[in-house]
Amino acid sequence: MDCKALAVLLADVLKSEMPLHVKDWVSSCLLSLDRLEGLTTNVKVPIEVEVIIHDKIPRLVDEIRSSLYPEVQERGAIELHDFVSQGVDAYVAAISNVGGIFPLVELLDKGTPKAKEASLSILYSIGTNEDNHSALIRAGVVKHLQRIVRSGSPQWMLALYLLRSLPTEVDVFS
């Protein structure tokens, strides 16, 4: 089997419903393949992007959702923010697709200051896609954004922009 075919096969496994312990091994193998000299020029599979979308992002969202430790949630939110900051739309979509909206909205309320800042920035990026507006509203983002705007914190303007992007049925300043 050639390396390209193996990389494509492994990338497909990452997209599947395989258990996370299997995906750990697969993502490690993909990254090792990516490091082989000359492989990246021959393989047209964005290995690093696939690993981030199908392994790292779901894992980070799960950490934010399930951890009882604020520093773990903060680290997860910051790492997600770093991915989103790369400007890859697929990263933003992956966060939304794995159920990241609700835990990120919770961080706006209960997270550390750094986690709140990272969460707001990620939610703003998610909000740029109108398909996510209903999920943002269901997650209760409006009341948190209103609180941020009223507080005059350094992020108030970003919160206001996100509020204004939501459907007009939402009373932004109620």
Side-chain angles (χ1 to χ4, degrees):
M1 177 181 272
D2 65 26
C3 288
K4 180 180 179 180
L6 180 59
V8 170
L9 179 67
L10 291 174
D12 287 342
V13 170
L14 278 182
K15 297 175 191 176
S16 72
E17 295 297 320
M18 291 290 221
L20 285 178
H21 72 277
V22 172
K23 289 184 177 186
D24 282 339
W25 179 81
V26 170
S27 63
S28 175
C29 290
L30 270 171
L31 291 174
S32 295
L33 278 174
D34 193 38
R35 288 186 200 104
L36 291 174
E37 187 175 335
L39 179 63
T40 54
T41 58
N42 297 329
V43 177
K44 299 301 182 212
V45 177
I47 291 174
E48 184 68 26
V49 171
E50 292 294 330
V51 170
I52 290 169
I53 290 172
H54 300 288
D55 182 50
K56 290 183 180 178
I57 288 176
R59 197 173 301 281
L60 290 170
V61 168
D62 190 49
E63 275 182 17
I64 293 169
R65 180 184 300 118
S66 62
S67 179
L68 300 175
Y69 300 104
E71 54 276 351
V72 172
Q73 293 176 328
E74 177 182 293
R75 187 180 65 239
I78 290 170
E79 196 168 340
L80 281 177
H81 177 263
D82 291 344
F83 290 139
V84 169
S85 297
Q86 293 175 17
V88 178
D89 291 337
Y91 294 165
V92 176
I95 293 169
S96 178
N97 290 339
V98 297
I101 292 174
F102 281 84
L104 289 169
V105 169
E106 275 188 37
L107 281 183
L108 289 178
D109 184 37
K110 300 176 182 174
T112 65
K114 287 182 181 180
K116 289 178 182 182
E117 185 177 342
S119 179
L120 178 59
S121 182
I122 296 164
L123 290 167
Y124 176 79
S125 295
I126 289 171
T128 60
N129 182 340
E130 289 181 11
D131 294 339
N132 295 321
H133 287 179
S134 62
L136 287 165
I137 292 169
R138 277 194 319 272
V141 76
V142 173
K143 67 180 178 182
H144 298 296
L145 295 174
Q146 290 170 337
R147 181 183 41 79
I148 293 168
V149 169
R150 288 186 185 120
S151 74
S153 71
Q155 296 84 24
W156 77 269
M157 195 67 113
L158 188 59
L160 182 62
Y161 290 147
L162 179 52
L163 271 171
R164 287 183 175 168
S165 75
L166 295 174
T168 56
E169 297 85 41
V170 175
D171 185 4
V172 174
F173 297 105
S174 63

